[in-house]
Amino acid sequence: MKLGSILAIYFLFWVASAFLLLPFGVRTDEEAGTPKVPGQADSAPHRFDVAAHVLRATLVATALFAAYYANWHFGWLSADDLDFYN
């Protein structure tokens, strides 16, 4: 696999991980015990920690990409293994 392909696939894993991890570890103002700003949605986060979110997304994406690359290299699971209709 070429370096460009590795980087592109890792980037896709990272973006998907970052998007899927958005609701985890976020507290609302009510849960944090602080007053809400007038007009604020009830579900608005109290404080969004970008650094922690990027770190979590990087760790998850790295683990998922490592499993993907190992499968690509060793051939544990192929497209033929996932063909349940034939």
Side-chain angles (χ1 to χ4, degrees):
M1 186 180 298
K2 294 182 181 180
L3 180 62
S5 298
I6 290 172
L7 293 175
I9 294 169
Y10 179 78
F11 179 73
L12 290 173
F13 274 109
W14 192 90
V15 169
S17 299
F19 181 72
L20 292 173
L21 290 174
L22 275 174
F24 297 102
V26 178
R27 297 179 353 168
T28 62
D29 280 334
E30 183 179 346
E31 294 169 336
T34 59
K36 290 193 309 184
V37 176
Q40 177 180 351
D42 293 334
S43 60
H46 169 65
R47 185 176 146 288
F48 183 69
D49 190 4
V50 176
H53 183 70
V54 167
L55 178 64
R56 276 184 260 158
T58 302
L59 293 175
V60 170
T62 302
L64 291 174
F65 181 76
Y68 169 81
Y69 189 79
N71 182 56
W72 179 83
H73 183 70
F74 296 113
W76 297 323
L77 192 64
S78 69
D80 293 333
D81 296 331
L82 300 175
D83 186 13
F84 300 118
Y85 296 109
N86 291 327

